[in-house]
Amino acid sequence: MASNQTEPKGHAIIERSTTLLFVLTLFVILIGGLVEIVPLFKVQETVRPVPGMRRYTPLEQIGRNVYTREGCYTCHSQQIRPFRDEVERYGHYSVAAESMYDHPFLWGSKRTGPDLARVGAKYSNAWHVAHMIDPRSVVPVSIMPAYAFLMNKPVDPEQFGAHMEALRKVGVPYTQEMVDRAADDIRAQASGEDADAMLERYPKAKLGDFDGQPDRLTEMDALIAYLQVLGTLAELPPIDTKVEARP
Ligand code: HEC
């Protein structure tokens, strides 16, 4: 008599044995783990150095912390992909060395707003201040939230050396001199005065009052110092995106 119960075949065999399913699942996860972890052992060779890259100044790093805290990365990416449409809109695609001093990475994956990897020097400080206080005042259709409160949040330069020391522990190579001089460097960058030693430590740093309140050091100063440095350090060759007309 023919039974209507056929012998399990192929995938059904795996699905009916918990032990086999467990072992094979583990195997697949292990492969995934290897693919992610093994390249990290070679990361020193993978990241090709690019001239011009340097550590963030303490003021830029404070701005970066504000950017992280406020979740700007949930709407803005900082990675330009190597495709023609991206390169034409934003500039040279991002390279690994440009993120080598980033802890944590702020690459993001969602673009509700534009990519910011090369937004530095695109606008004036005054534009950024107006935009952060009320995005609609400069871009009428903007859906970006306002961050006017940053104008009133003071930055204490004395506190930041300890944070740089912590960053050094996770791999940002700040020197002892950079840590010891953090407070001076913050004041020098935000005022533009006595900035020679600071510029030697951090070449090409933008100087001066960023938020339009010269008598106060605020998180707005720090955030704009950070935005203005994005994409301005790495010296990358120009990319020709013109397509030759076919004969
Ligand atoms: C809810 C999503 C959202 C969040 C969160 C957000 N933005 Fe935006 N951002 C936008 C949109 C949309 C635009 C484009 C319209 C405009 O310029 O305002 C934009 C534009 C910008 C621009 C101008 C970029 C250019 O090339 O024109 C900058 C700079 C910027 N944002 C910085 C920030 C910073 C810094 C933060 C965090 C403090 C932030 N944004 C948080 C959505 C967002």
Side-chain angles (χ1 to χ4, degrees):
M1 207 172 92
S3 133
N4 56 4
Q5 196 105 43
T6 51
E7 280 294 304
K9 269 195 264 166
H11 209 271
I13 302 176
I14 303 171
E15 282 175 12
R16 284 172 202 204
S17 159
T18 32
T19 318
L20 192 59
L21 184 65
F22 177 76
V23 170
L24 291 178
T25 308
L26 196 66
F27 182 67
V28 170
I29 293 172
L30 284 178
I31 293 178
L34 284 180
V35 168
E36 285 197 350
I37 293 163
V38 170
L40 292 179
F41 294 115
K42 295 232 145 208
V43 75
Q44 300 302 344
E45 296 151 53
T46 327
V47 180
R48 255 183 276 158
V50 168
M53 283 315 295
R54 62 152 166 78
R55 284 140 280 201
Y56 293 106
T57 69
L59 189 64
E60 291 158 7
Q61 183 62 53
I62 294 172
R64 197 167 194 277
N65 292 354
V66 173
Y67 187 101
T68 313
R69 184 191 71 205
E70 297 303 330
C72 311
Y73 58 84
T74 57
C75 281
H76 292 285
S77 60
Q78 283 190 28
Q79 47 164 333
I80 302 163
R81 303 183 189 104
F83 302 135
R84 185 176 164 204
D85 60 324
E86 300 235 338
V87 170
E88 281 193 357
R89 176 165 180 190
Y90 298 118
H92 197 295
Y93 52 83
S94 299
V95 300
E98 288 181 278
S99 302
M100 64 194 277
Y101 300 121
D102 290 4
H103 282 270
F105 298 121
L106 295 174
W107 292 329
S109 58
K110 189 159 178 286
R111 284 184 182 162
T112 303
D115 187 278
L116 297 180
R118 304 210 182 284
V119 82
K122 182 176 171 188
Y123 301 106
S124 65
N125 294 341
W127 187 93
H128 280 295
V129 173
H131 184 247
M132 296 305 294
I133 291 178
D134 176 13
R136 261 69 58 198
S137 69
V138 279
V139 184
V141 295
S142 180
I143 55 154
M144 177 163 142
Y147 293 90
F149 62 94
L150 297 177
M151 293 292 273
N152 294 316
K153 292 205 90 186
V155 165
D156 180 1
E158 306 303 329
Q159 299 300 316
F160 203 63
H163 186 89
M164 288 169 80
E165 213 148 352
L167 283 171
R168 193 160 62 170
K169 291 219 168 77
V170 296
V172 186
Y174 281 120
T175 62
Q176 192 56 44
E177 191 193 17
M178 287 170 164
V179 172
D180 295 342
R181 295 262 154 237
D184 294 341
D185 287 349
I186 291 171
R187 278 188 284 263
Q189 183 171 11
S191 68
E193 285 159 25
D194 300 324
D196 292 350
M198 181 255 164
L199 280 171
E200 220 160 284
R201 283 188 275 280
Y202 307 98
K204 290 205 274 187
K206 309 272 187 315
L207 302 177
D209 168 47
F210 292 88
D211 69 351
Q213 312 180 99
D215 49 332
R216 300 178 66 197
L217 183 60
T218 66
E219 290 189 350
M220 189 68 93
D221 282 308
L223 181 64
I224 294 174
Y226 172 61
L227 291 173
Q228 292 290 33
V229 80
L230 287 177
T232 63
L233 294 175
E235 289 153 27
L236 299 166
I239 301 182
D240 185 5
T241 52
K242 276 203 288 300
V243 178
E244 293 289 320
R246 281 168 194 246

